[in-house]
Amino acid sequence: MGLFWKRKKKDENERPSHWPPTILSPQPSQAAQTSTPPQTGAARPAPAEQSPLLAEPAHSPTSTDLPEPPRPALPPEPPPLPAPSQQPQSGPTPTDRTGTASGSEREAAAPDPPPALRKVDMQFSFGGYVAKEPTPEEIAEQQRTIVGRLKTAVSSTRHTLVDRIDSIVRGKKVIDAELLENIEEALIGADIGVQTALDIIETARKRVARNELSNPEELRRVIREHLLDMLLTPKSLKKGTVSSEVDIDPDISPYVIMVVGVNGVGKTTTIGKLANRIRNDGYDVLICAADTFRAAANDQLAVWADRSGVPLIQQKPGTDPSAVLYDSLAAAKARGTDVLIVDTAGRLHTKQNLMQELEKMRRVADRQVPGAPHEVLLVIDAVTGQNGLEQARQFTKAAPVTGLVLTKLDGTAKGGIVVAIVNELGVPIRYVGIGEQVDDLIVFDAGQYIDSLFEG
């Protein structure tokens, strides 16, 4: 179990018997091995069509009569190294003038495994090594780093929302209608949403009427508590949503994630970052390039797959996306892959043919792996603000979205859209993008988000 991805890892005995996968050369069929050459003068039968990958190399009619070329002689084996002397040497250092070191010195100088990895025996690993279980100190340090980066990412939103609220209440003695109206404008300006802003102001007005709130400086605390409560306990979560990967049966493998959304919101970048983070936690990841419509989609995804060190299954542009998904699922099952991430073509919810194509891919995945896709992540650009919220609202009506990914949170002053999405759509935010680097994707945490806004 890693810091980012928390599903159960497979043991070695749960892997296929041929793990790790090897590429086997094609063998000639039995009919080809037992067939006799045609008689001289007889019409040669037309060869059957076969895949170019399985085709036998072409030979001339007299190729079997040619003598086999002589094989080059192998070089003689080097003489064995002399045993190291047991007596201490007083002169030269471990490496002499010729640069030759003794056997024991070479063994001592051999590089150790990477410090973040350790050798294991009966546990699934990449090349014999797996990610070392983090210590409590390492976990605490990473959490501090995440909070620090999140504070930097939401600094523009903090200036738009929190700093403006502070300037509104500074110097005020009483909470009146004008003060509440100014705070409502600040909330709407940060794209928290009209309905959410009205709920917050109505809560404050009721507390003032009950004499539970009189100091304007306390409004900041009330707004913070209300926003946190909205994120932690939304009005209603939509049926079928997934708040965490641990909500799915841990014995299901591969875990299939399908990424959807309109063009230009950062789907491909999100897939690369997500694959990198999951792989760094010690899981085997495979990417399916099912966006066969956009010409540069495969090339762009290949770059991110190379950065993440994750294999990619792709076909030529114009191929049926469901066929690419079928091949990827077959490869994932054969390799014993833990997680399969599926890229899809950008589409609008109004394009019925594209939405039907998405449903076809879901049926293909479900036939191969029960319940797949286990997550359908809708990627939204935070910069678009309320337009992104409307996209999400319409898309969730047309497709079974289980979670959201909010990208480019560091590039907008309207990060309050996070609250509006959770409060109005009832779909959990799974991840947020806070930068352009390969590791700038973090799991969304409501407490960390509110702390970053109000404690910057």
Side-chain angles (χ1 to χ4, degrees):
M1 184 177 296
L3 296 174
F4 183 86
W5 192 254
K6 297 180 173 59
R7 281 181 66 80
K8 183 185 74 172
K9 294 181 182 178
K10 289 184 178 180
D11 295 329
E12 187 68 28
N13 54 11
E14 295 178 333
R15 295 286 166 184
S17 58
H18 58 275
W19 184 265
T22 55
I23 300 177
L24 302 178
S25 58
Q27 300 294 334
S29 63
Q30 184 177 1
Q33 294 176 357
T34 58
S35 61
T36 57
Q39 298 179 358
T40 306
R44 186 180 300 272
E49 294 184 2
Q50 56 182 346
S51 171
L53 296 177
L54 300 179
E56 295 289 338
H59 298 288
S60 63
T62 59
S63 61
T64 56
D65 301 331
L66 296 177
E68 182 179 358
R71 298 181 179 180
L74 297 176
E77 296 184 0
L81 295 174
S85 175
Q86 300 297 330
Q87 298 180 357
Q89 300 178 359
S90 58
T93 57
T95 304
D96 58 16
R97 295 179 180 178
T98 61
T100 304
S102 65
S104 60
E105 292 159 353
R106 286 194 303 272
E107 183 178 357
D112 295 330
L117 303 174
R118 59 183 174 86
K119 187 80 173 179
V120 295
D121 296 325
M122 297 301 295
Q123 186 176 354
F124 167 62
S125 59
F126 299 102
Y129 294 94
V130 295
K132 184 181 67 174
E133 291 296 332
T135 63
E137 293 77 12
E138 291 173 340
I139 294 177
E141 178 60 28
Q142 187 178 51
Q143 293 296 334
R144 286 192 295 269
T145 303
I146 291 176
V147 172
R149 294 164 63 190
L150 188 57
K151 287 181 179 180
T152 303
V154 301
S155 58
S156 298
T157 303
R158 185 187 314 115
H159 176 72
T160 303
L161 175 62
V162 181
D163 292 352
R164 186 176 176 185
I165 292 176
D166 290 341
S167 63
I168 291 173
V169 301
R170 187 177 298 116
K172 300 293 183 180
K173 301 299 182 181
V174 295
I175 301 177
D176 52 15
E178 182 182 359
L179 178 64
L180 293 178
E181 184 178 348
N182 291 335
I183 291 180
E184 180 181 341
E185 292 178 0
L187 293 173
I188 295 176
D191 255 6
I192 282 182
V194 176
Q195 187 59 47
T196 305
L198 292 177
D199 292 343
I200 294 176
I201 297 302
E202 184 62 25
T203 300
R205 186 177 289 111
K206 289 180 179 180
R207 298 185 65 174
V208 171
R210 294 194 299 262
N211 294 325
E212 297 176 357
L213 182 64
S214 59
N215 187 356
E217 298 291 338
E218 290 294 313
L219 278 175
R220 190 178 191 269
R221 177 184 57 81
V222 171
I223 295 173
R224 173 175 177 166
E225 292 176 353
H226 197 95
L227 293 177
L228 181 60
D229 184 64
M230 283 183 171
L231 292 176
L232 293 178
T233 57
K235 293 180 179 179
S236 61
L237 280 178
K238 197 174 181 180
K239 185 178 180 181
T241 57
V242 178
S243 299
S244 174
E245 62 273 8
V246 298
D247 296 342
I248 306 299
D249 185 357
D251 294 326
I252 291 180
S253 181
Y255 188 90
V256 183
I257 303 174
M258 186 177 292
V259 182
V260 299
V262 301
N263 287 321
V265 295
K267 293 192 309 297
T268 304
T269 303
T270 298
I271 289 173
K273 294 177 180 179
L274 183 60
N276 176 74
R277 295 300 302 270
I278 298 176
R279 175 185 175 274
N280 287 344
D281 276 346
Y283 297 87
D284 189 18
V285 186
L286 183 66
I287 298 177
C288 167
D291 182 1
T292 58
F293 179 76
R294 187 164 59 93
N298 284 357
D299 296 336
Q300 184 182 3
L301 196 59
V303 171
W304 276 102
D306 182 64
R307 291 180 185 176
S308 307
V310 174
L312 173 68
I313 303 294
Q314 60 179 340
Q315 294 186 17
K316 63 181 181 180
T319 306
D320 184 0
S322 297
V324 185
L325 176 59
Y326 182 91
D327 292 344
S328 301
L329 288 166
K333 293 166 67 176
R335 302 178 184 188
T337 300
D338 297 301
V339 182
L340 174 65
I341 306 177
V342 184
D343 184 23
T344 62
R347 68 198 71 216
L348 292 172
H349 64 280
T350 55
K351 301 295 184 181
Q352 293 298 324
N353 58 331
L354 294 180
M355 299 307 295
Q356 292 174 0
E357 179 186 85
L358 194 63
E359 181 60 29
K360 177 183 176 182
M361 295 176 66
R362 286 178 51 84
R363 294 196 302 269
V364 170
D366 185 59
R367 284 198 296 266
Q368 292 292 308
V369 180
H374 306 103
E375 286 194 57
V376 179
L377 297 179
L378 174 63
V379 182
I380 301 175
D381 186 350
V383 177
T384 58
Q386 289 295 316
N387 290 333
L389 175 61
E390 182 61 24
Q391 287 179 9
R393 183 182 293 113
Q394 299 300 329
F395 212 106
T396 52
K397 293 179 180 178
V401 175
T402 64
L404 302 176
V405 180
L406 200 60
T407 62
K408 309 174 188 177
L409 191 62
D410 58 317
T412 179
K414 298 184 177 182
I417 192 65
V418 171
V419 181
I421 288 174
V422 176
N423 189 47
E424 296 187 26
L425 299 183
V427 179
I429 297 178
R430 296 283 279 115
Y431 309 102
V432 291
I434 57 174
E436 298 180 355
Q437 301 303 316
V438 71
D439 60 342
D440 285 338
L441 184 74
I442 63 174
V443 178
F444 178 74
D445 182 277
Q448 291 179 354
Y449 176 76
I450 295 299
D451 290 345
S452 300
L453 275 180
F454 286 85
E455 297 179 2

